[in-house]
Amino acid sequence: MNTATVTVEAKSWTEQRIAESDPSHAVASVVFTTQWSGDLVGSSTCGLLIDYVAGDPARPETLEGPYVGYEQVTGALAGRSGSFVLATRGTHGGGVADTEVEVVPGSGTGELAGLTGSGSYAADAMTYTLTLHYEFR
């Protein structure tokens, strides 16, 4: 198993509440884009569903709740280029998004076909570090 250390920088965040019982309790859909550097160079677009269970929407860092989604990554890893999808799940609380990711089996394209792996990050800002453990099959 190989390990990639990636610096991820958020470029955009578009959120829409799709249901809410009050401002602190809501379901939201999010699309955000990022730029990747380090052991994996490229970009991504991620779609999330978030269930807010606490916090003040006027102060997003206070919002709490679980989320799930998929992230399409396009770039180069270990001298190979192509794309793949990460299944994403995590929880936001205390101003930190603790996230686990897993490469969706069969999602690799181009030279990244056969990529498998998983990783994690703890994001407390719009730039964070992802550690991805991976291999090619």
Side-chain angles (χ1 to χ4, degrees):
M1 187 72 54
N2 302 296
T3 300
T5 302
V6 184
T7 299
V8 181
E9 181 181 358
K11 293 297 188 180
S12 69
W13 179 278
T14 304
E15 181 173 328
Q16 179 180 356
R17 287 178 173 232
I18 56 178
E20 72 178 17
S21 54
D22 63 49
S24 296
H25 295 85
V27 175
S29 66
V30 174
V31 174
F32 72 96
T33 61
T34 64
Q35 193 70 38
W36 296 39
S37 60
D39 295 331
L40 196 162
V41 176
S43 61
S44 75
T45 300
C46 184
L48 297 176
L49 287 175
I50 304 172
D51 178 21
Y52 292 120
V53 297
D56 178 359
R59 296 179 39 231
E61 70 279 3
T62 69
L63 291 170
E64 297 181 10
Y67 50 88
V68 296
Y70 289 98
E71 184 168 10
Q72 174 81 46
V73 180
T74 302
L77 172 65
R80 301 177 184 211
S81 62
S83 67
F84 61 94
V85 174
L86 292 173
T88 303
R89 68 183 178 287
T91 301
H92 188 271
V96 178
D98 287 309
T99 307
E100 300 288 327
V101 298
E102 183 174 346
V103 176
V104 174
S107 68
T109 68
E111 296 171 320
L112 297 179
L115 178 68
T116 63
S118 62
S120 63
Y121 60 85
D124 63 355
M126 297 306 279
T127 300
Y128 51 91
T129 301
L130 164 68
T131 301
L132 181 67
H133 305 287
Y134 70 94
E135 62 186 4
F136 292 96
R137 297 192 176 171

